[in-house]
C-alpha cells in the first residue's frame, strides 16, 4: 500500500516562441519502507520540488527510489539530487537515449551519459514488477523505450503514463504531439485505455496534466484543480508584476 502525493502537477502546453515548457508531473509514493519519486522534473522545478518535499516531510536523502518514465530532460535530470536512491529506467530507453548524438531534441546528453554509467541505475524490462506492487509496461512512441507504471498495491490501481499519454486531449484523441513514432503512440494509448478501463476507479496520472478518473460514461474527468501561471516584469519595478493565468479558465 502506497500513499500517493502529486508534488508537481504537469501542465498540458508549450510556449509559443520558446519551445517546450517542460512542466511535467512529479509524484511521491510512500510505503512503510520505501520513498519513491516517479519522475523528478527539470532544473526550473528544483525550487518548487524542494519546497514540496519539505512540506511532505521528505529529505532528499530519504528517497529510496527514483523511477523514470523516459529519458527526456523534463522528467529525468534531477535524479542527481537523490544520491542515495536507486534509479530505475527502461533498458530499451537508456540504450536508445545513449546511442543518440547530441541533437535539437529534449534528451539531456550528459545526464543520459551519467544514467548509463552510474552503478545505482537499474534497467527495467517491460512486464517486470521492479518494486513491490509496481510493474513497468512498455509504451513506445513518444520515445522508443517509454514505460508506463501500473501500481496494483493499493485498493484501486494507479497508472503513471509519463509522456506516452501526456494529457487529456491525447487520451481522448488517441493522437499525440511530439512522438518518435505516431502509430506506436496510438497503440500505446489504446493499451493505456484498456488498462484504465479494466478496473473501475483506476487513477491515471499523466506526464503533463492533472490526474484523471473515468466517470460513469467512461469519460476522463480531472481530479483536483489546475494551478498554473506566469508572473512577468512588464513594468519598471520588481514589485509591479503582471500575472498571466494559465489555469485554463478566463
Ligand atoms: Zn517526454
Amino acid at each position: 500500500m502506497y500513499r500517493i502525493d502529486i508534488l508537481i502537477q504537469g501542465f498540458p502546453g508549450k510556449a509559443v516562441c520558446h519551445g517546450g515548457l517542460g512542466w511535467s508531473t512529479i509524484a511521491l509514493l510512500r510505503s512503510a519502507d520505501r520513498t519513491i519519486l516517479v519522475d523528478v522534473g527539470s532544473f526550473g522545478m528544483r525550487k518548487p520540488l524542494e519546497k514540496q518535499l519539505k512540506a511532505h516531510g521528505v529529505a532528499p536523502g530519504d528517497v529510496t527510489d527514483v523511477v523514470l518514465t523516459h529519458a527526456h530532460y523534463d522528467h529525468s535530470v534531477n535524479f542527481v539530487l537523490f544520491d542515495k536512491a536507486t534509479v530505475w529506467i527502461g533498458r530499451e530507453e537508456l540504450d536508445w537515449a545513449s546511442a543518440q548524438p547530441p541533437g535539437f531534441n529534449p534528451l539531456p546528453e550528459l545526464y543520459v551519459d551519467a544514467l548509463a554509467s552510474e552503478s545505482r541505475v537499474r534497467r527495467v524490462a517491460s512486464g517486470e514488477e521492479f518494486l513491490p506492487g509496481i510493474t513497468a509496461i512498455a509504451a513506445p512512441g513518444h520515445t522508443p523505450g517509454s514505460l508506463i507504471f501500473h501500481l496494483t498495491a493499493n485498493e484501486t490501481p494507479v497508472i503513471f503514463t509519463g509522456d506516452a499519454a501526456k494529457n487529456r486531449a491525447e487520451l481522448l484523441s488517441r493522437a499525440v504531439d511530439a512522438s518518435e513514432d505516431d502509430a506506436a503512440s496510438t497503440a500505446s494509448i489504446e493499451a493505456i485505455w484498456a488498462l484504465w478501463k479494466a478496473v473501475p476507479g483506476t487513477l491515471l496520472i499523466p506526464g503533463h496534466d492533472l490526474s484523471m478518473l473515468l466517470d460513469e460514461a467512461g469519460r476522463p474527468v480531472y481530479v483536483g484543480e489546475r494551478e498554473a501561471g506566469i508572473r512577468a516584469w512588464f513594468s519598471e519595478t520588481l514589485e509591479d508584476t503582471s500575472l498571466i493565468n494559465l489555469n485554463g479558465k478566463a
Side-chain angles (χ1 to χ4, degrees):
M1 178 90 183
Y2 292 95
R3 181 196 161 143
I4 301 176
D5 295 287
I6 305 297
L7 299 186
I8 303 285
Q9 181 188 99
F11 182 79
K14 50 166 102 168
V16 176
C17 310
H18 301 84
L21 295 166
W23 293 355
S24 59
T25 302
I26 304 177
L28 170 68
L29 279 55
R30 283 178 286 181
S31 67
D33 52 2
R34 303 246 183 202
T35 299
I36 302 168
L37 290 172
V38 179
D39 284 342
V40 283
S42 56
F43 298 122
M45 254 170 216
R46 285 183 168 186
K47 283 293 168 196
L49 177 57
E50 180 183 39
K51 195 172 149 194
Q52 280 286 64
L53 286 168
K54 215 172 261 174
H56 288 81
V58 175
D62 297 340
V63 176
T64 57
D65 301 271
V66 165
V67 176
L68 301 177
T69 56
H70 64 300
H72 282 162
Y73 82 97
D74 53 326
H75 299 255
S76 67
V77 293
N78 289 331
F79 84 89
V80 296
L81 301 178
F82 307 100
D83 58 353
K84 302 272 189 301
T86 300
V87 180
W88 305 87
I89 184 168
R91 174 177 297 280
E92 244 187 284
E93 180 73 359
L94 194 47
D95 287 349
W96 165 76
S98 29
Q100 304 309 302
F104 292 87
N105 61 49
L107 282 174
E109 293 83 2
L110 304 181
Y111 288 80
V112 169
D113 285 351
L115 283 169
S117 62
E118 285 194 23
S119 60
R120 68 190 177 105
V121 177
R122 306 280 292 272
R123 291 154 171 82
V124 184
S126 182
E128 194 182 329
E129 185 180 331
F130 62 101
L131 285 168
I134 306 177
T135 302
I137 302 170
H142 177 70
T143 60
S146 274
L147 292 175
I148 63 169
F149 303 114
H150 193 209
L151 186 154
T152 53
N154 289 8
E155 205 170 310
T156 48
V158 181
I159 309 169
F160 298 89
T161 66
D163 286 1
K166 294 192 283 300
N167 55 50
R168 186 169 181 269
E170 290 191 350
L171 284 160
L172 284 170
S173 66
R174 273 85 165 162
V176 301
D177 179 59
S179 177
E180 297 278 338
D181 181 336
D182 286 325
S185 273
T186 299
S188 290
I189 289 182
E190 291 295 355
I192 288 167
W193 270 104
L195 205 58
W196 200 8
K197 287 195 283 200
V199 180
T202 296
L203 181 70
L204 186 146
I205 301 177
H208 291 268
D209 209 343
L210 286 169
S211 304
M212 285 168 259
L213 289 168
L214 293 174
D215 68 10
E216 277 167 19
R219 299 268 301 175
V221 286
Y222 285 131
V223 178
E225 291 279 310
R226 192 182 312 288
E227 224 184 312
I230 291 174
R231 227 174 253 291
W233 288 284
F234 294 146
S235 69
E236 297 179 8
T237 70
L238 289 183
E239 293 74 34
D240 185 14
T241 56
S242 305
L243 176 65
I244 299 152
N245 211 326
L246 295 173
N247 63 15
K249 295 176 193 149

